[in-house]
Amino acid sequence: GNSVTQMEGPVTLSEEAFLTINCTYTATGYPSLFWYVQYPGEGLQLLLKATKADDKGSNKGFEATYRKETTSFHLEKGSVQVSDSAVYFCALSGVRSQGNLIFGKGTKLSVKP
Amino acid sequence: ETGVTQTPRHLVMGMTNKKSLKCEQHLGHNAMYWYKQSAKKPLELMFVYNFKEQTENNSVPSRFSPECPNSSHLFLHLHTLQPEDSALYLCASSQTGESSGNTIYFGEGSWLTVV
């Protein structure tokens, strides 16, 4: 079945450091891929998405490229800020096209000043 | 401001109480979802409604009872819950279909504590 694996956290970085959060997936067909972010005490917000191979999603300085050959969708940011501290979830769309998503376990990011 | 609104944001209930969580989406979507997020488990899909019809019940105990009166509103009725049901309950909506990209939009969640 479809699944998402993302790197275990927590990840602790200093401000302005480079961020990579790895995400790999297993899927049949051609799912869409997503990164969601959850700030403390809040629900999930869509951060970025990619709907086909080689697409790059980007938002707020974050980027992720849909790599079919390596079944990956790694999240990157060149210079993190304290305000980026949150939990990041990688997800892929379900194959039954019902719209439900399959989520990874989440990676907690803490950015120190 | 999110297009998916959940109330209440916080709820404390006893194990014998009956309460309901409410969700409303203002995005014109045709599908709505309940997810559970607890400290010990990853995000769990509970229920899916497409065009008001329940299309998925992910082995959820009967003490959780969903209701979807129309495509904009979704309820989760709670009855005789257990302390381990304490969690963040997230409502979400999406527009399903081949061209939609299946993007799901979440509400801010309802924090439930069962005492």
Side-chain angles (χ1 to χ4, degrees):
Chain A
N2 291 4
S3 65
V4 174
T5 302
Q6 59 182 109
M7 62 188 288
E8 297 273 340
V11 174
T12 303
L13 296 174
S14 298
E15 206 164 24
E16 299 184 2
F18 184 86
L19 169 71
T20 300
I21 301 178
N22 290 338
C23 172
T24 57
Y25 67 91
T26 302
T28 55
Y30 302 95
S32 296
L33 300 173
F34 305 82
W35 278 100
Y36 281 82
V37 59
Q38 185 176 32
Y39 298 103
E42 298 184 12
L44 273 70
Q45 301 176 25
L46 177 66
L47 181 60
L48 53 85
K49 72 175 186 180
T51 58
K52 62 182 187 295
D54 299 325
D55 266 3
K56 177 187 282 187
S58 61
N59 186 25
K60 299 181 181 180
F62 291 89
E63 293 183 341
T65 301
Y66 190 147
R67 300 284 189 202
K68 195 169 189 302
E69 63 276 13
T70 55
T71 62
S72 65
F73 193 54
H74 304 320
L75 182 68
E76 297 182 334
K77 186 174 185 182
S79 176
V80 293
Q81 306 300 312
V82 173
S83 57
D84 293 326
S85 298
V87 181
Y88 292 82
F89 293 90
C90 185
L92 63 82
S93 57
V95 291
R96 284 169 290 189
S97 297
Q98 294 187 90
N100 54 298
L101 297 180
I102 297 167
F103 285 89
K105 293 183 178 181
T107 303
K108 183 176 182 179
L109 170 67
S110 295
V111 181
K112 307 298 184 186
Chain B
E1 181 176 321
T2 178
V4 180
T5 305
Q6 290 187 239
T7 54
R9 292 294 314 279
H10 299 271
L11 177 64
V12 179
M13 60 185 290
M15 289 189 284
T16 58
N17 290 160
K18 283 186 180 180
K19 297 286 184 183
S20 296
L21 305 181
K22 179 183 175 182
C23 178
E24 182 175 1
Q25 59 97 358
H26 313 276
L27 301 169
H29 290 162
N30 60 7
M32 295 187 77
Y33 314 81
W34 281 115
Y35 281 85
K36 176 183 177 182
Q37 186 180 31
S38 59
K40 298 180 180 178
K41 292 185 179 181
L43 271 164
E44 300 175 81
L45 177 66
M46 299 176 72
F47 300 104
V48 180
Y49 278 82
N50 266 283
F51 296 101
K52 303 186 299 176
E53 300 297 320
Q54 188 180 127
T55 55
E56 184 154 347
N57 175 338
N58 206 20
S59 302
V60 181
S62 59
R63 58 186 183 270
F64 295 92
S65 174
E67 178 190 0
C68 188
N70 55 61
S71 58
S72 298
H73 293 85
L74 184 65
F75 296 89
L76 188 63
H77 303 302
L78 313 170
H79 178 47
T80 58
L81 296 191
Q82 305 298 312
E84 59 265 29
D85 296 322
S86 299
L88 178 65
Y89 289 85
L90 292 162
C91 176
S93 71
S94 73
Q95 183 66 27
T96 59
E98 292 298 325
S99 62
S100 69
N102 291 336
T103 302
I104 287 185
Y105 295 88
F106 285 85
E108 295 191 330
S110 294
W111 288 95
L112 172 67
T113 303
V114 181
V115 297

